[in-house]
């Protein structure tokens, strides 16, 4: 079985968290490795595995209804790598203004950010590349497009 690596911008439409399925089905989190036609992905640099819903063996399909819908979400670690944001901004106790803007979900030990909702809330096309940093590091408007996020942070896009 081959696990495909996906880019940090790839959202998880049609996938479930392998750890969650294993918990509900009462099986090992490595069981998917022995399934013939399962399609699995993981983000580059991550060990967390996601399984394509329509490739799950018939025996375990009944457990899919208990698994969290990950459509539009990316793993938080990937969101940080994609935008250049420090992971400390995704912790509520750090009181980051960006934390309040993002739709963050935690499933077992894995944290997710809804990237599609973030694009939609800002009115940006999904084709734009994003980066987040302190506003003082941005150039003037015609040179860099930016949106103020609060707390001295801005989102740049191109």
């Amino acid at each position: 079985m081959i696990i495909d690596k996906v880019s940090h911008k790839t959202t998880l439409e049609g996938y479930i968290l392998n750890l969650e399925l294993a918990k509900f089905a009462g099986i090992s989190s490595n069981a998917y490795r022995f399934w013939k036609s399962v399609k699995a992905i993981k983000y580059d640099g991550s060990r967390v595995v996601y399984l394509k819903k329509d490739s799950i063996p018939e025996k375990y399909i009944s457990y899919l209804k208990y698994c969290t819908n990950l459509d539009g979400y990316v793993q938080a670690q990937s969101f940080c790598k994609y935008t250049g944001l420090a992971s400390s901004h995704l912790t509520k106790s750090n009181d980051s203004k960006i934390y309040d803007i993002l739709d963050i979900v935690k499933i077992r030990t894995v944290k997710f950010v809804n990237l599609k909702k973030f694009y939609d809330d800002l009115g940006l096309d999904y084709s734009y590349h994003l980066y987040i940093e302190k506003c003082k590091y941005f150039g003037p408007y015609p040179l860099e497009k930016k949106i103020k996020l609060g707390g001295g942070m801005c989102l740049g896009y191109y």
Side-chain angles (χ1 to χ4, degrees):
M1 195 211 63
I2 297 173
I3 301 174
D4 291 328
K5 289 186 180 179
V6 294
S7 74
H8 299 297
K9 185 180 178 180
T10 304
T11 56
L12 295 167
E13 271 77 22
Y15 285 89
I16 57 164
L17 179 62
N18 176 51
L19 289 172
E20 195 174 32
L21 177 67
K23 177 188 169 211
F24 291 130
I27 58 176
S28 166
S29 60
N30 289 321
Y32 74 93
R33 293 175 186 242
F34 303 101
W35 298 341
K36 288 183 181 179
S37 60
V38 70
K39 293 179 182 139
I41 61 168
K42 66 179 180 176
Y43 288 102
D44 193 22
S46 176
R47 293 176 20 185
V48 180
V49 176
Y50 304 92
L51 305 175
K52 186 85 170 158
K53 289 179 188 177
D54 60 8
S55 71
I56 302 292
E58 189 113 9
K59 181 178 181 180
Y60 301 105
I61 288 180
S62 62
Y63 297 105
L64 292 179
K65 63 185 171 194
Y66 302 113
C67 294
T68 307
N69 181 5
L70 297 176
D71 291 355
Y73 285 89
V74 295
Q75 192 173 322
Q77 173 187 359
S78 293
F79 179 82
C80 290
K81 285 182 181 179
Y82 174 59
T83 62
L85 183 70
S87 60
S88 60
H89 288 281
L90 302 182
T91 304
K92 187 174 185 168
S93 61
N94 286 346
D95 204 29
S96 172
K97 300 297 181 201
I98 294 174
Y99 183 88
D100 298 331
I101 296 171
L102 299 172
D103 177 15
I104 300 173
V105 172
K106 189 170 183 179
I107 304 170
R108 299 187 44 92
T109 60
V110 185
K111 198 180 282 189
F112 298 92
V113 175
N114 193 329
L115 182 60
K116 282 201 171 181
K117 184 178 182 306
F118 187 58
Y119 272 99
D120 292 343
D121 290 349
L122 296 172
L124 297 174
D125 189 78
Y126 299 137
S127 65
Y128 281 127
H129 294 278
L130 309 178
Y131 57 99
I132 300 172
E133 59 183 78
K134 292 188 178 190
C135 295
K136 67 182 180 181
Y137 296 121
F138 280 82
Y141 170 69
L143 301 175
E144 284 191 279
K145 298 177 188 173
K146 67 181 177 184
I147 299 172
K148 283 195 162 213
L149 298 175
M153 300 296 282
C154 286
L155 174 117
Y157 57 98
Y158 58 92

